[in-house]
């Protein structure tokens, strides 16, 4: 089949960008979406032109590196599917597609379809961990964790950090991403000591990074390739509210030496 | 070059404790005066960087992806082994040690494997403390499953995403240390060379992949956790970016490369669908617990599978290996699939595939039970192939998955370049000629959390390192070499794309250095690879410039190194006149087609020294002694 692509081309951050039109010819329905772009790129290189830059790595839907807007839908038309796992059989001959990078104030375009998602790393740095150093912790079975809590924590921990939730949100909010980590750790006993401090700090960092606020559109949940539920946002808000209401100033009591 | 394994002289069970006591320590106040570079942020790299920072070292960490969380460890599905013996089925450190040495077909170093088994139990404790959501039983205890090559249940897992959850645990520890200021992170930055001064590794030259700026980073020690080199085959289950460049550059600067021909071909991957194919996707080995593998008895039988009657099907694994059947080890199952396809009995487009059929299991257990066990895998299969495995048998074919070979390291995980340490899949040390399932995650985290952070102190504490600066002539020379290479790649402006040459190299390697190798085939490949390399350096085209984000340039640099590594792999495979683990030499098999090891002549690690362009590499042998696990022939009949 043959398709027409309108691809956002932008040589560098801060440079002007525009859509360019390309023809993708003899596309096999067995190809993945990124393999279709590989073929277009081979043609561009052979013609002496700059290939379309896009992020990708594992190509099996788990590393979270790939992602683009395909005719207005984050990761394209198939639910619960990353761009790399989308196959061309989801399209038909003659389709015209618009490919754009994630659009959000907090994600700047690096080149073409590649964006800077380092804000996600900084949100994790603000508290998305358990402060335990490598060493000799107690035996792994010392604290039983109910199957339901463990399963629910895993549901939240399945986030791949691709950024589709932010791109799909009309507010450009990172609430689903942030809530997933706050919930994963907050559901487990190991995450309790820092639970409320974590919620305060990660939410504050999210705001600092210029992500928008959540007004419960629910677009993030629809776009999420891992099916992460917005129930976790409600959970984050509960933790945040409680933390904000009960937070005390952190004091270091020194001088024990 | 001398291979000093530095294995402590003690009974194997006491070695690590004794070594920990005898190693030099760096006092806590002095640790912050040392800088360590870690390249790669997978399980090994991220856990090492975080743990060393916690100890007080200044760490600089590098990855080529946009975030350390993307490293390919994230794609591991099945699980991680540990000798916890929670199920009370007779597991022990000794048994895990034994299984790993035997599973590696007696080509690994006993001392390292024993230590791996010892620290395996600490890994699970550490990961649980970090909040890794392992699968649990209703009573709140950790769940275990069984895996290939073992008769006990010692595999811990987090659904089919164990690698992801373990990596996120290590990544979060790393981000914690970045926030504290102990680690400086350089994402989208690729190591392109190693700086060696006075015979010691003192830094790296790296390219910022966004701006193209090439710069040097200095340190007191360098750690490579840069993964395996399976992408030399072009098609593999590795991520597209996985490459050998860091390890290969270190090899050319003096690090011996050990057992490069030991590659693992995984039997259950989704077959190639056409010439556009860019990578292969693994389907977890656990599927073979309930799926039956078969092909038609008659060559060229193109009937749909449901129209082939039972009597005309060949369940070849059950026929050839009645006691292990569909659960035969990876190397054996892979070779058997190739054999039946070579006979013209393969199924699906192109004839390179075999059926993995769940019809009997569904009849026995019901579709619901099968969905609970494998639902996510069945969905993934359907997404890729548009076939419903509940109704039509899956089609699978072997694919390159893991490389047991890698840079040679001693017991301290240090290469033959003092100060250069190598961890995880990038080193050669623990899996011999074949890796068992769920052992890669174990090794990456063992090296990164529990071994390297201690052994690096021994190096730093026992050597007086002169300060070096960025204007050192050796630093300048290394930078100039990198810049020269980059400008050469950009100036050829020939006719062939990087991908087309990479694909051609992959076909050569798969054909002649893949599942079954012959002396003639390897000699043929050794003639063709230099020709292809020559074509690359004269006719490749790399668009754009070096001063921008240029993915073609990144790929070109990696393929250039694969074109050199490929030759060494064939040299190694040709010299090893025996069959062991993933290395099957057609000339060396038993009357009924099984691998024939030659312990008299080949019970050694083959470590190759680089001697310069156009020079033959020199072989150094580290003899392997098996004092605890007795040499025996593996049999799965």
């Amino acid at each position: 089949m043959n398709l027409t692509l309108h691809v956002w081309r932008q040589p560098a951050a801060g440079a002007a960008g525009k859509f360019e039109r390309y023809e993708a010819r003899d596309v096999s329905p067995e190809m993945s979406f990124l393999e279709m772009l590989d073929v277009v790129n081979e043609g561009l290189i052979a013609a002496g032109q700059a290939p379309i830059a896009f992020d990708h790595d594992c190509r099996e839907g788990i590393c979270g590196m790939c992602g683009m807007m395909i005719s207005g839908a984050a990761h394209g038309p198939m639910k619960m599917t990353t761009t790399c796992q989308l196959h061309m059989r989801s399209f038909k001959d003659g389709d015209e597609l618009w490919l754009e990078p994630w659009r959000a104030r907090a994600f700047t375009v690096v080149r073409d379809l590649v964006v800077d998602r380092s804000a996600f790393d900084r949100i994790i740095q603000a508290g998305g961990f358990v402060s335990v150093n490598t060493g000799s912790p107690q035996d792994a079975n010392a604290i039983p964790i109910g199957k339901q809590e463990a399963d629910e924590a895993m549901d939240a921990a399945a986030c791949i950090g691709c950024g589709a939730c932010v791109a799909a949100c009309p507010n450009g909010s990172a609430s689903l991403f942030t809530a997933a980590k706050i919930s994963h750790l907050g559901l487990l006993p190991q995450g309790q000591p820092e639970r409320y401090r974590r919620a305060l700090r990660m939410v504050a960092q999210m705001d600092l990074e210029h992500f928008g606020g959540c007004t419960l559109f629910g677009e993030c949940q629809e776009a999420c390739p891992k099916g992460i539920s917005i129930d976790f946002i409600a959970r984050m808000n509960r933790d945040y509210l409680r933390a904000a209401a009960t937070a005390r100033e952190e004091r270091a009591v020194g001088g024990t030496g | 070059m001398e291979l000093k394994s530095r294995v402590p002289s003690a009974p194997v069970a006491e070695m690590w404790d004794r070594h920990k006591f005898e190693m030099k320590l760096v006092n806590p106040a002095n640790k912050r005066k040392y800088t360590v570079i870690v390249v790669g942020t997978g399980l090994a790299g991220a856990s090492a960087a975080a743990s060393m920072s916690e100890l007080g070292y200044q760490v600089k960490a590098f990855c080529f992806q946009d975030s350390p969380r993307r490293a390919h460890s994230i794609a591991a599905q099945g699980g991680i082994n540990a000798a916890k013996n929670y199920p009370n089925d007779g597991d022990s450190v000794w048994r895990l040690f034994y299984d790993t040495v035997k599973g590696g077909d007696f080509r690994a170093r006993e001392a390292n494997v024993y230590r791996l088994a010892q620290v395996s139990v600490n890994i699970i404790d550490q990961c649980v403390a970090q909040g890794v959501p392992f699968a649990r039983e209703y009573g709140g205890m950790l769940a275990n499953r069984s895996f290939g090559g073992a008769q006990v249940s010692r595999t811990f897992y987090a659904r089919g995403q164990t690698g992801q959850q373990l990596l996120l645990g290590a990544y979060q520890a790393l981000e914690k240390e970045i926030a504290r200021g102990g680690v400086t992170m350089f994402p989208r930055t690729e190591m392109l060379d190693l700086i060696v001064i006075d015979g010691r590794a003192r830094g790296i030259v790296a390219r910022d992949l966004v701006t193209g700026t090439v710069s040097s980073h200095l340190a007191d020690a360098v750690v490579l956790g840069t993964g395996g080199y399976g992408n030399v085959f072009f098609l593999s289950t590795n991520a597209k970016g996985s490459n050998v460049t860091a390890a290969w550059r270190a090899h050319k600067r003096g690090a011996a490369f050990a057992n490069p021909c030991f590659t693992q071909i995984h039997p259950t991957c989704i077959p190639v669908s056409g010439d556009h194919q860019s990578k292969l996707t693994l389907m977890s080995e656990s599927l073979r617990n309930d799926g039956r593998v078969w092909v038609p008895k008659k060559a060229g039988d193109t009937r749909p599978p449901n129209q082939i009657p039972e009597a005309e099907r060949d369940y070849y694994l059950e026929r050839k290996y009645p006691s292990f059947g569909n659960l035969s080890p990876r190397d054996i199952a892979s070779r058997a699939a190739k054999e039946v396809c070579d006979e013209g009995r393969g199924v699906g487009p192109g004839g390179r595939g075999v059926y993995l059929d769940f019809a009997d299991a569904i009849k026995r257990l019901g579709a619901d039970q099968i969905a609970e066990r494998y639902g996510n895998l069945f969905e993934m299969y359907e997404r890729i192939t548009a076939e419903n495995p509940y109704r039509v048998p899956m089609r699978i074919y072997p694919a390159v998955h893991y490389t047991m070979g890698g840079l040679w390291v001693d017991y301290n995980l240090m290469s033959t370049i003092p100060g250069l340490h190598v961890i995880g899949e990038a080193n050669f040390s623990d899996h011999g000629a074949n890796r068992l399932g769920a052992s890669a995650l174990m090794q990456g985290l063992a090296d990164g959390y529990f071994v390297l952070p201690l052994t690096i102190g021994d190096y730093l504490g026992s050597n007086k390192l002169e300060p070096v600066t960025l204007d050192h002539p050796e630093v300048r020379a290394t930078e100039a070499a990198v810049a020269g290479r980059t400008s050469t790649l950009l100036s050829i402006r020939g006719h062939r794309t990087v991908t087309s040459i990479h694909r051609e190299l992959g076909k050569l390697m798969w054909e002649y250095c893949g599942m079954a190798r012959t002396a003639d085939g390897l000699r043929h490949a050794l003639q063709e690879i230099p020709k292809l390399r020559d074509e690359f350096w004269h006719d490749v085209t790399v668009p754009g410039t070096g001063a921008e984000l240029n993915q073609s340039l990144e790929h070109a640099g990696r393929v250039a190194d694969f074109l050199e590594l490929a030759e060494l792999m064939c040299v190694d495979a040709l010299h090893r006149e025996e069959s062991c683990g993933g290395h099957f030499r057609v000339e060396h098999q038993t009357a009924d087609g099984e691998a024939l090891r030659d312990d008299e002549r080949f019970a050694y690690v083959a470590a190759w020294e680089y001697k310069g362009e156009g020079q033959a590499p020199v072989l150094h042998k580290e003899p392997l002694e098996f004092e605890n696990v007795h040499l025996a022939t593996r049999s799965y009949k």
Side-chain angles (χ1 to χ4, degrees):
Chain A
M1 57 188 180
N2 299 313
L3 292 93
T4 302
L5 308 177
H6 302 269
V7 183
W8 183 260
R9 301 304 303 264
Q10 181 176 333
K18 62 174 194 298
F19 283 103
E20 296 276 2
R21 182 189 164 110
Y22 302 99
E23 304 299 328
R25 305 227 161 265
D26 301 323
V27 173
S28 143
E30 307 298 320
M31 284 180 181
S32 73
F33 195 82
L34 297 185
E35 285 168 349
M36 181 275 293
L37 284 181
D38 288 343
V39 173
V40 170
N41 273 345
E42 285 290 283
L44 288 173
I45 295 168
Q49 295 175 42
I52 301 158
F54 59 90
D55 263 334
H56 64 101
D57 202 24
C58 78
R59 296 205 178 189
E60 45 190 276
I62 191 76
C63 76
M65 189 124 171
C66 72
M68 62 187 76
M69 299 302 277
I70 302 172
S71 297
H75 289 304
M78 200 166 172
K79 292 255 303 179
M80 299 271 290
T81 303
T82 55
T83 306
C84 66
Q85 293 276 283
L86 179 66
H87 279 67
M88 295 311 292
R89 65 179 79 89
S90 297
F91 302 94
K92 58 182 192 304
D93 187 43
D95 273 357
E96 224 173 319
L97 306 177
W98 274 262
L99 310 188
E100 293 175 78
W102 294 153
R103 305 271 190 204
R105 200 170 153 206
F107 292 164
T108 47
V109 174
V110 174
R111 178 168 197 162
D112 299 343
L113 305 174
V114 176
V115 296
D116 178 356
R117 286 168 291 196
S118 56
F120 272 9
D121 290 328
R122 290 188 293 274
I123 290 176
I124 299 295
Q125 282 163 31
F129 47 77
V130 174
S131 295
V132 51
N133 285 0
T134 307
S136 305
Q138 63 192 330
D139 186 85
N141 260 345
I143 306 173
I145 302 175
K147 187 173 186 305
Q148 197 173 332
E149 284 72 37
D151 283 349
E152 210 182 328
M154 181 63 213
D155 289 342
C159 169
I160 58 174
C162 64
C165 49
V166 176
C169 176
N171 303 334
S173 173
S175 287
L176 192 65
F177 170 81
T178 310
K181 190 48 64 190
I182 287 174
S183 302
H184 157 213
L185 297 173
L187 278 157
L188 296 172
Q190 289 79 8
Q192 296 311 308
E194 294 166 288
R195 177 171 170 185
Y196 296 104
R197 184 174 191 263
R198 177 183 305 118
L200 280 179
R201 292 173 59 110
M202 289 180 74
V203 170
Q205 188 66 34
M206 179 170 75
D207 293 343
L208 273 178
E209 299 286 349
H210 303 294
F211 288 104
C214 173
T215 48
L216 290 176
F217 277 102
E219 296 284 345
C220 53
Q221 177 179 270
E222 290 301 300
C224 177
K226 297 294 146 183
I228 300 200
S229 162
I230 52 170
D231 290 354
F232 291 124
I233 297 181
R235 192 186 158 85
M236 169 175 79
N237 289 341
R238 285 199 300 276
D239 277 8
Y240 181 81
L241 267 178
R242 175 163 169 192
T246 60
R248 287 169 297 164
E249 199 181 332
E250 285 183 20
R251 288 190 304 149
V253 183
T256 53
Chain B
M1 180 182 287
E2 202 188 342
L3 303 176
K4 278 189 278 190
S5 66
R6 298 170 49 129
V7 170
S9 49
V12 74
E14 292 164 29
M15 277 178 190
W16 181 228
D17 283 335
R18 186 175 300 185
H19 193 63
K20 276 194 283 189
F21 180 71
E22 285 171 355
M23 277 192 292
K24 287 274 194 310
L25 293 174
V26 178
N27 109 31
N30 282 341
K31 285 201 179 85
R32 63 171 176 268
K33 297 177 187 159
Y34 289 104
T35 302
V36 181
I37 283 174
V38 179
V39 187
T41 57
L43 286 180
S47 59
S51 303
M52 287 191 290
S53 168
E54 287 163 4
L55 287 171
Y57 296 112
Q58 302 278 348
V59 178
K60 290 171 116 184
F62 295 79
C63 69
F64 68 79
Q65 299 93 340
D66 73 326
S67 162
R69 67 180 292 154
R70 314 279 185 216
H72 196 54
S73 306
I74 205 154
Q77 298 170 355
I80 177 166
N81 288 329
K84 277 288 196 186
N85 191 33
Y86 286 149
N88 191 32
D89 55 1
D91 199 11
S92 62
V93 167
W94 193 271
R95 189 175 294 281
L96 176 53
F97 160 62
Y98 177 91
D99 287 349
T100 308
V101 170
K102 181 182 168 210
D105 218 355
F106 301 91
R107 291 295 174 265
R109 193 190 282 149
E110 276 193 343
N112 289 52
V113 178
Y114 192 86
R115 176 176 63 190
L116 173 70
Q118 262 178 312
V119 301
S120 71
V121 297
N122 306 98
I123 295 171
I124 304 303
D125 297 343
Q126 181 64 32
C127 293
V128 166
Q130 288 171 343
V132 170
F134 284 117
R136 301 258 167 186
E137 309 288 357
Y138 279 100
M141 298 293 130
L142 288 157
N144 285 115
R145 58 163 68 143
S146 45
F147 237 74
Q151 288 168 306
V152 293
S153 289
R154 62 160 75 100
T155 306
F156 295 78
Y157 61 99
R159 294 194 187 145
Q161 291 129 275
T162 317
Q164 180 199 25
Q165 293 310 313
L166 295 175
L167 183 64
L168 292 181
Y171 157 76
Q172 286 163 203
L174 178 64
E175 294 295 337
K176 162 175 76 72
E177 291 304 301
I178 293 170
R180 200 184 56 78
V183 179
T184 311
M185 185 68 221
F186 296 84
R188 289 201 199 269
T189 307
E190 181 165 32
M191 168 177 166
L192 293 178
D193 215 335
L194 180 74
I195 298 170
V196 180
I197 297 174
D198 298 332
R200 295 179 186 281
R202 294 306 301 270
I204 64 169
V205 176
R207 180 171 179 269
D208 178 324
L209 299 181
V210 176
T211 63
T213 311
V214 170
S215 54
S216 299
H217 302 264
L218 301 177
D220 299 294
V222 176
V223 180
L224 301 186
T226 48
Y229 48 87
N231 273 348
V232 68
F233 292 90
F234 185 74
L235 289 180
S236 81
T237 65
N238 285 185
K240 289 298 285 176
S242 302
N243 67 82
V244 77
T245 289
W248 191 253
R249 297 280 120 200
H251 172 59
K252 293 180 83 168
R253 296 271 171 203
F257 208 114
N259 300 333
C261 80
F262 286 171
T263 49
Q264 180 166 78
I265 316 267
H266 198 290
T268 50
C269 298
I270 300 177
V272 173
S273 72
D275 290 337
H276 55 265
Q277 191 90 27
S278 63
K279 81 151 271 160
L280 296 169
T281 303
L282 178 80
M283 299 307 290
S284 171
E285 180 166 296
S286 61
L287 290 168
R288 289 196 284 144
N289 277 306
D290 285 307
R292 294 181 73 196
V293 178
W294 65 275
V295 290
K297 278 189 177 160
K298 203 168 67 208
D301 189 339
T302 53
R303 286 176 292 174
N306 58 3
Q307 288 173 25
I308 301 178
E310 200 63 27
E312 293 174 42
R313 299 175 176 193
D314 178 13
Y315 294 89
Y316 59 89
L317 284 177
E318 297 171 23
R319 172 172 58 80
K320 291 171 76 171
Y321 307 100
S323 59
F324 276 70
N326 295 298
L327 278 175
S328 303
R330 290 178 177 180
D331 46 349
I332 286 171
S334 293
R335 270 201 303 279
K338 178 184 189 306
E339 232 166 72
V340 295
C341 293
D342 287 348
E343 291 163 12
R345 299 194 286 145
V347 299
R352 306 307 294 185
V354 301
Y355 290 125
L356 179 63
D357 198 337
F358 292 88
D360 286 351
I362 290 172
K363 215 178 291 168
R364 189 175 74 244
L365 302 162
D368 287 351
Q369 184 79 35
I370 292 298
E372 190 172 324
R373 285 186 194 173
Y374 311 111
N376 57 340
L377 294 169
F378 278 34
E379 277 167 32
M380 179 153 86
Y381 181 85
E382 190 169 1
R383 213 174 289 141
I384 292 172
T385 62
E387 288 177 357
N388 179 348
Y390 293 97
R391 286 197 223 114
V392 190
M394 279 186 181
R395 284 176 296 113
I396 53 163
Y397 198 65
V400 174
H401 177 56
Y402 186 88
T403 52
M404 282 74 70
L407 293 179
W408 184 90
V409 289
D410 64 12
Y411 190 67
N412 278 351
L413 304 180
M414 190 162 81
S415 71
T416 51
I417 302 175
L420 178 72
H421 296 71
V422 190
I423 56 179
E425 189 179 351
N427 75 26
F428 86 103
S429 73
D430 295 356
H431 307 296
N434 177 53
R435 179 177 65 72
L436 291 180
S439 284
L441 304 185
M442 172 172 68
Q443 187 221 338
L445 291 181
D447 289 358
Y449 281 133
F450 295 108
V451 180
L452 181 88
L454 279 68
T455 58
I456 204 152
D458 192 35
Y459 172 74
L460 296 171
S462 49
N463 289 285
K464 175 98 184 74
L465 299 168
E466 297 300 324
V468 288
T469 55
L470 286 170
D471 54 12
H472 191 285
E474 209 47 57
V475 177
R476 290 267 170 258
T478 313
E479 259 175 40
V482 167
R485 218 167 111 85
T486 304
S487 67
T488 305
L489 286 170
L490 287 163
S491 64
I492 300 166
R493 303 278 169 195
H495 302 90
R496 294 205 53 183
T497 64
V498 179
T499 304
S500 77
I501 292 178
H502 192 181
R503 210 181 272 278
E504 194 175 330
L505 174 69
K507 277 191 182 141
L508 262 178
M509 291 301 284
W510 181 242
E511 194 60 39
Y512 300 108
C513 199
M515 273 186 281
R517 300 152 175 189
T518 65
D520 284 348
L522 289 164
R523 285 198 196 97
H524 175 72
L526 283 169
Q527 283 177 349
E528 294 302 312
I529 293 164
K531 283 189 217 160
L532 190 60
R533 192 164 60 223
D534 203 50
E535 193 174 349
F536 176 88
W537 285 105
H538 286 97
D539 202 24
V540 77
T541 183
V542 182
T545 71
E548 58 183 337
L549 176 75
N550 187 337
Q551 294 172 322
S552 303
L553 177 63
E554 295 164 27
H555 191 198
R558 295 166 190 168
V559 172
D561 290 329
F562 281 136
L563 282 162
E564 295 180 12
L565 165 78
E567 195 171 351
L568 185 66
M569 288 171 71
C570 293
V571 167
D572 186 43
L574 185 61
H575 114 280
R576 193 170 276 279
E577 293 276 357
E578 65 163 349
S579 296
C580 59
H583 171 65
F584 189 77
R585 280 288 300 271
V586 173
E587 301 90 336
H588 303 286
Q589 51 182 312
T590 61
D592 46 1
E594 300 304 325
L596 194 59
R597 233 175 44 221
D598 185 346
D599 295 324
E600 286 290 309
R601 293 165 63 212
F602 290 101
Y604 62 77
V605 176
W608 298 90
E609 180 184 2
Y610 181 77
K611 283 302 217 185
E613 213 173 313
Q615 306 288 312
V618 172
L619 173 66
H620 299 271
K621 298 175 182 176
E622 180 197 340
L624 292 169
E625 277 146 37
F626 295 92
E627 291 170 359
N628 300 285
V629 184
H630 292 294
L631 285 162
T633 307
R634 294 194 307 161
S635 172
Y636 299 94
K637 294 256 169 191

